[in-house]
Structure formats: C-alpha cells, structure tokens
C-alpha cells in the first residue's frame, strides 16, 4: 500500500484515520472520567478550603485518595482555586504540551524532516497507545514527569549539563519512581547533576514539610509504606514485577527484593554501557523501564515511560519489533485475564506488558548516540502490519519513495518516536467502570471497585 503523493490526498487520509481513531477511543476503551485528576482536585480543595488533611480525603463513593508525596499536593495547590472544569482543561493542555516536548526530544535534531503528514500519523498512532490514552483520560501526571526527566537527558546529551538534574529532582519530589534517574546520574558519574537532582528533591520535600508538617510526617512514616492505599498488588493493571508475583500468590517481600536486586544489577550494567557510548536516550529509556519493573505498583497508564524505548528501537533500525510491541500495547490485551489470571495462559497473558518491559530492558539496543546514527533509508519497510487501518497506513508511510516533504521513513513512529499504532482493542464497547485503574473490560465487583462513579464528585467536596 502506497501513501498519497499529493497534499490533498494526504489530508484526506489523515482525516479518515483521525475519524477511525476517534470512533475507536469513544466506543471501545473506557474513558476514565478524569478520576485521578478528581483525586488531586478534591484533595487540594478540601485541604485549602475545608481544613481537611491531605491523606484523609477520598473521592466520594470510593476508597481512593491521595498517594503521592506531600510536595505533589503543594505543587497542585493552584488547582484548588479553579473550577473543576477549568482544572480538567488545564490538565489537558499541560499533558499535550508535555507530550509535544517528549516527542521533540525523542525525535532528535531532524524532527522537521517528517513534516505535517508524518506528525499527523504519529498523533493517530499515539492516540491508540493504551498507557497514553489512559494518562489523558485519568488526568494523570506521568507525561509531565517524563518531560521533566527527558529534559535533563537532552541537557546532558547536548553538552548543556550545567542545569541538568533540576527536572529529575522535581519529578522525584512529586513521585518516588523517578528517583531512580538520580541513580542513573550516579552510574554515569555525573556527580554535579546527581548532586543538583538530590538537592532539588530534598529542597522540594523540605518545602512541603514546612507547608504541611503533619501530612509530611504521616506520609514518610506511614503512608509511603502502605501499598494498600494505592490498590491491590495482584490487580491485573499492576504490570510490575511485584504484580506478577502477587498474581502467583507470592506476596513475600524477600523474594520480591531479590528479583528487584537482580533487575537493578542488569540495569546498572546496561545503563553504564549506554552512557559510555554517549547514548543518553537509551540510558534514560533503560532507566524508565527499570523504574516500571521495580516499583511495587505500576498501573498500565504508568507505562508511558516506555515511549523512549520505542524511539530507541526505531532509531536503531528495529522498526518491525517496535511496531509489533507497540501494537500489542494498544490492544488492552491484559484485561482478558481480569477475572482469572490462573494457569499458564493467565501467567503469560495477564503479565504481557511486564514481559514487554522486561524484554526491552534485556535487549534494547544501546551504544548508538543520536548524533552519530546512520540516516534511515527512505525505501525501508518499517513496522509490521497491525490490526487496524491506521496502523497499516502508518507502516506504509515509510515505504513511500521520492523526495516527499512529508517525512517518510518511520514518519508515523519512526525517528519521531513510537512504533506503529495498533489494533482496535479487545472486543466490543463495554460499560464504563468505576475502577480507577480499569481498562477495556466489563465491570466486576472487586475490593478496589467503588460503588459510584467519580463523576459524583462536586466542586464542593465535603470536609475530610
């Protein structure tokens, strides 16, 4: 299949793909009704206007409340002076800006080469990526943190390392998982950047301790160690190593700690190799993969940290692999085992995203710095066909010959970032669920499920 050669034909193709993607996202995946954003909003609103305590608030009708460090609540305080609708709009704008920054960094210096057509196809492909669409629909913060962290990677890779570490420090103060990137700076022997990141993280945490001392004391002594505040370890959305073990019935800390230690050792060796070769994007990609694996709970929407890995695969010529893995992560396949993850099929299927993450950690190509990579062939065939019209068209873009201004070669996911968009999900449209970490699946009574939708929350939450 060849892509249109005229701008009019390309515009019609983009409009057709956008329509398919819009219908798919409106009917097949569950829209999360900004659940996590409502948690943030309700927490700061109750804290600022009703004298409630940050870690006591719960979304009405649910058992879910704030689980991030106190600095996250302090940084979200301006939200408490906005209406809920304005806060949702602001979150959308911030996430879109963060996604644009992430794509710009991962695309490299020749990002303009792909033109409007290539980037339009990229947008269609990204809209199908389950972690990304859930991040937007939940109103999550992971894209913002990814942009902060990759900003430091860009500074280091371009020789502007004087301010490197600030983004990582802020991200680590908002959420604990990005603190592993401070470890990357230590592995890379970037002592100044590591010191800056640590100082920023400690400074932000100290500021929160001054503003909300009681909440800080409670979080660092109790809440941080209580994973039940976040959700069930064995819930299928938990695609971390701890989630795999929990679904096997292994909840002991010693086994999990041993597995985590092994993974960290593998990460340290591979990340150091990437840094020595000057391949900072690969080093940051490996660290994002490892953070998802070793975190006790990694919900599906946290897997936006895998986006740099797809960029590395495509940059190093593994476009078919990138397209295939990306396609799988568009299908919501893990939810087929929502009710029963027993047996060999449950072990393999319910942990599909974990296996992808682990495989990328072990085999992601390293050692090819962005500025030294060989130019990609305009006539190369890229991604493997995926089960959607959008994906098939994206794969065809890279086979387009001639000096088109559209950005051939991996225009959809190629050097631009992600792998091919993928399939239309699993099964027909389903009823929305109140489970804040749910996906394409039927509603079921589970300990985590709330008895009413998050939309029952109003702009005037009851005092905690």
């Amino acid at each position: 299949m060849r892509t249109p050669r005229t701008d009019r034909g390309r515009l019609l193709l983009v409009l057709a793909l956008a329509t398919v993607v819009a219908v798919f996202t409106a009917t097949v995946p569950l829209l999360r009704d900004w659940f996590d954003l409502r948690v943030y909003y309700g927490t700061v609103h109750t804290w600022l206007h009703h004298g409630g305590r940050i870690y006591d608030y719960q979304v009405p009708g649910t058992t879910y409340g704030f689980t991030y460090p106190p600095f996250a609540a302090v940084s979200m305080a301006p939200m408490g002076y906005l209406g809920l609708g304005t806060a949702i709009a602001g979150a959308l704008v911030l996430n879109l800006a963060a996604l644009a920054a992430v794509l710009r960094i991962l695309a490299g210096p020749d990002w303009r080469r792909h033109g409007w057509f290539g980037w339009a196809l990229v947008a269609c492909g990204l809209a199908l990526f389950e972690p990304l669409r859930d991040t937007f629909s939940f109103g999550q913060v992971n894209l913002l943190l990814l942009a902060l962290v990759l900003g430091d990677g860009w500074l280091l890779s371009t020789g502007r390392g004087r301010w490197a570490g600030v983004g990582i420090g802020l991200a680590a103060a908002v959420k604990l998982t990005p603190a592993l990137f401070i470890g990357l700076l230590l592995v890379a022997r970037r002592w100044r950047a590591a010191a800056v990141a640590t100082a920023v993280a400690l400074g932000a945490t100290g500021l929160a301790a001054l503003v909300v001392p009681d909440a800080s004391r409670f979080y660092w002594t109790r809440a941080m160690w209580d994973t039940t505040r976040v959700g069930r370890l064995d819930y299928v959305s938990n695609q971390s190593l701890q989630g795999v073990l929990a679904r096997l019935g292994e909840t002991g800390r010693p086994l999990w700690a041993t597995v985590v230690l092994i993974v960290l050792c593998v990460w340290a060796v591979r990340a150091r190799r990437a840094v020595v070769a000057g391949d900072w994007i690969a080093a940051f990609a490996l660290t994002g993969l490892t953070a998802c694996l070793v975190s006790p709970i990694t919900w599906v929407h946290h897997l936006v940290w895998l986006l740099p890995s797809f960029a590395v695969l495509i940059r190093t010529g593994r476009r078919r692999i990138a397209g295939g893995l990306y396609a799988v992560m568009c299908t919501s396949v893990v939810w087929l085992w929502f009710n029963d993850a027993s047996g060999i099929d449950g072990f393999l299927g319910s942990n599909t995203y974990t296996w992808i993450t682990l495989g990328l950690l072990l085999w992601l190509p390293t050692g090819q710095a962005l500025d030294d990579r060989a130019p990609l062939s305009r006539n190369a065939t890229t991604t493997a066909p995926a089960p959607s019209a959008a994906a098939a068209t994206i794969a065809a873009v890279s086979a387009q010959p001639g000096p088109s201004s559209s950005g051939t070669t991996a225009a959809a996911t190629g050097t631009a970032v992600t792998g091919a968009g993928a399939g239309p999900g699993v099964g027909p449209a389903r009823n929305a669920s109140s489970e804040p970490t749910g996906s394409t699946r039927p509603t079921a009574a589970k300990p985590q499920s709330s008895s009413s939708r998050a939309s029952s929350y109003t702009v005037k939450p009851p005092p905690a």
Side-chain angles (χ1 to χ4, degrees):
M1 176 182 176
R2 294 194 177 278
T3 55
R5 295 178 177 274
T6 65
D7 282 344
R8 180 184 178 184
R10 291 170 183 162
L11 178 59
L12 291 175
L13 175 60
V14 167
L15 292 175
L17 290 176
T19 300
V20 171
V21 169
V23 171
F24 167 70
T25 54
T27 58
V28 179
L30 296 178
L31 300 179
R32 312 301 179 199
D33 203 19
W34 320 107
F35 188 95
D36 289 358
L37 181 65
R38 292 172 186 275
V39 173
Y40 311 150
Y41 183 83
T43 297
V44 298
H45 202 281
T46 301
W47 164 43
L48 294 174
H49 302 293
H50 299 277
R53 294 188 298 182
I54 289 174
Y55 295 103
D56 284 349
Y57 174 79
Q58 292 180 347
V59 173
T62 79
T63 59
Y64 293 97
F66 201 74
T67 58
Y68 295 166
F71 178 71
V74 172
S75 64
M76 294 175 184
M79 191 187 304
Y81 298 97
L82 304 174
L84 180 58
T86 305
I88 291 173
L92 276 174
V93 171
L94 287 175
N95 271 327
L96 285 171
L99 179 59
V102 167
L103 293 177
R104 173 64 181 85
I105 292 170
L106 295 181
D110 56 351
W111 63 277
R112 290 187 180 88
R113 182 167 62 89
H114 304 292
W116 70 268
F117 182 56
W119 285 109
L121 295 180
V122 168
C124 291
L126 288 174
L128 298 173
F129 190 52
E130 184 181 3
L132 194 61
R133 68 183 188 237
D134 273 2
T135 291
F136 275 88
S137 189
F138 274 124
Q140 258 284 343
V141 299
N142 292 296
L143 268 179
L144 298 172
L145 303 184
L146 178 59
L148 286 172
V149 167
L150 286 182
D152 279 347
W154 177 80
L155 291 174
L156 291 168
S157 65
T158 55
R160 300 176 175 90
R162 180 177 180 183
W163 295 104
V166 174
I168 290 174
L170 288 173
V174 169
K175 203 170 182 179
L176 296 178
T177 307
L180 185 61
F181 287 90
I182 299 179
L184 172 63
L185 297 176
L186 294 174
V187 167
R189 300 177 186 175
R190 291 300 183 108
W191 313 119
R192 175 188 171 88
V196 169
T198 303
V200 169
L202 292 177
T205 301
L207 173 63
L210 292 175
V211 176
V212 282
D214 291 340
S216 295
R217 188 180 307 109
F218 176 79
Y219 179 81
W220 296 109
T221 59
R222 293 179 57 185
M224 184 180 78
W225 312 101
D226 183 7
T227 57
T228 61
R229 290 178 56 87
V230 184
R232 293 189 351 256
L233 291 175
D234 63 343
Y235 183 50
V236 73
S237 183
N238 184 14
Q239 291 292 306
S240 69
L241 293 172
Q242 178 78 293
V244 175
L245 294 175
R247 283 185 285 278
L248 289 173
E250 298 291 339
T251 56
R253 292 292 179 90
L255 178 59
W256 173 68
T258 302
V259 174
V260 165
L261 182 60
I262 294 172
V263 168
L264 287 175
C265 290
V266 172
W267 160 75
V269 171
R270 302 214 70 219
R272 176 64 186 169
R273 187 177 303 163
V275 168
V276 168
D279 193 349
W280 282 100
I281 294 297
F284 273 68
L286 289 168
T287 307
L289 293 168
T290 305
C292 290
L293 289 170
V294 304
S295 174
I297 290 183
T298 298
W299 300 135
V300 168
H301 55 264
H302 294 162
L303 297 177
V304 292
W305 290 95
L306 270 61
L307 285 176
S309 300
F310 289 108
V312 172
L313 285 175
I314 295 160
R315 187 195 72 200
T316 55
R318 278 77 169 182
R319 290 187 288 273
R320 290 185 181 276
I321 296 174
L325 296 180
Y326 189 87
V328 172
M329 295 194 68
C330 292
T331 61
S332 303
V333 64
V334 296
W335 301 102
L336 292 174
W337 290 270
F338 169 70
N339 289 313
D340 183 9
S342 62
I344 296 297
D345 65 316
F347 175 68
L348 296 176
S350 68
N351 302 308
T352 299
Y353 297 168
T354 309
W355 306 141
I356 290 176
T357 307
L358 186 59
L360 287 171
L361 173 64
L362 294 175
W363 292 293
L364 189 73
T366 61
Q368 184 177 354
L370 187 62
D371 292 335
D372 296 334
R373 70 185 188 281
L376 300 176
S377 167
R378 285 181 175 268
N379 296 318
T381 340
T382 60
T383 54
S388 76
T393 304
I394 290 172
V397 172
S398 55
Q400 178 183 340
S404 143
S405 62
S406 63
T408 52
T409 352
T413 52
T415 322
V417 172
T418 64
V426 179
R430 294 167 170 84
N431 294 331
S433 164
S434 57
E435 180 70 67
T437 52
S439 186
T440 308
R441 57 168 180 74
T443 306
K446 290 286 181 179
Q448 269 187 284
S449 298
S450 62
S451 57
S452 63
R453 289 188 58 79
S455 55
S456 63
Y457 174 70
T458 65
V459 295
K460 293 182 179 180

